[in-house]
Amino acid sequence: NIGKIFEKEEQAEKLADDLTTRLAKTEERLKSIEGEPLKVLLMVNYKDGAFGGYGKNASLQNNLLKRLHAENILEKGGSALSAENLISMDPDVIVYVLGTHNEDNDKNAVESMLSNDVIKSVKAIENKKIITVEYNELMGGGYRTFDCMEALADFLYPEAAKQ
């Protein structure tokens, strides 16, 4: 539709075809993954054990995770989550979403989690399975979401990345 509006239909169609191909290639790489989907926490604004997260109502992100043989473990998003919540969720992977409005906390968030003895038994922290992504890449719903999808696929299943 945007291609029609700006009279750039050919370029828009090429971009759409490229994105469709990238999605298909990523899904093809991961189709042999067996077992339970990885439990993923989409985390934001971590500071002193408190954090926020995006829940299953974030439909684009949940669809993306499902395509990556993963699932969001947070039912409802929120901003008042604690170390106790993190321990009880026990995610396999934490996707830490960087945002310009949380820059001060984001600078040291991953290091702070990794050095926090209270949460060191959480699988994602114990195994250092924390990846940072830019807000606009994960939440924006544009072509950069495909860059994020490919990076997440490589991080979640590095063995499949080599195929």
Side-chain angles (χ1 to χ4, degrees):
N1 288 334
I2 292 175
K4 288 178 184 176
I5 292 168
F6 291 103
E7 298 178 359
K8 299 288 184 181
E9 290 178 69
E10 189 174 310
Q11 292 95 327
E13 199 164 310
K14 182 184 179 323
L15 176 61
D17 289 344
D18 290 346
L19 296 176
T20 300
T21 299
R22 288 173 67 185
L23 175 62
K25 283 182 179 179
T26 300
E27 288 180 322
E28 179 66 24
R29 278 193 303 141
L30 300 180
K31 77 176 186 179
S32 64
I33 302 298
E34 296 178 351
E36 293 293 314
L38 288 175
K39 297 186 317 182
V40 175
L41 173 62
L42 301 175
M43 180 188 281
V44 64
N45 199 24
Y46 179 86
K47 182 179 181 184
D48 300 329
F51 61 95
Y54 298 104
K56 290 185 179 180
N57 58 330
S59 58
L60 170 66
Q61 296 68 34
N62 285 293
N63 184 291
L64 174 67
L65 289 175
K66 186 175 184 177
R67 290 174 181 269
L68 298 176
H69 194 67
E71 66 180 347
N72 188 342
I73 61 169
L74 189 57
E75 281 298 320
K76 187 175 179 183
S79 60
L81 300 167
S82 67
E84 290 81 10
N85 296 122
L86 182 56
I87 292 166
S88 69
M89 286 186 275
D90 197 22
D92 298 311
V93 176
I94 295 172
V95 175
Y96 189 85
V97 184
L98 302 168
T100 55
H101 54 287
N102 299 321
E103 282 181 291
D104 291 339
N105 292 342
D106 291 350
K107 288 177 190 172
N108 301 311
V110 173
E111 295 81 12
S112 180
M113 278 186 266
L114 292 173
S115 65
N116 186 335
D117 286 338
V118 173
I119 57 175
K120 69 181 179 183
S121 66
V122 171
K123 278 185 238 142
I125 294 168
E126 184 177 15
N127 298 321
K128 296 182 172 82
K129 292 295 285 183
I130 304 170
I131 183 173
T132 59
V133 299
E134 295 290 333
Y135 177 87
N136 289 330
E137 291 176 347
L138 180 67
M139 305 301 284
Y143 67 91
R144 290 188 294 183
T145 302
F146 288 79
D147 296 337
C148 184
M149 172 193 63
E150 291 165 342
L152 287 173
D154 292 345
F155 185 78
L156 296 174
Y157 297 103
E159 66 281 6
K162 296 173 185 167
Q163 296 177 351

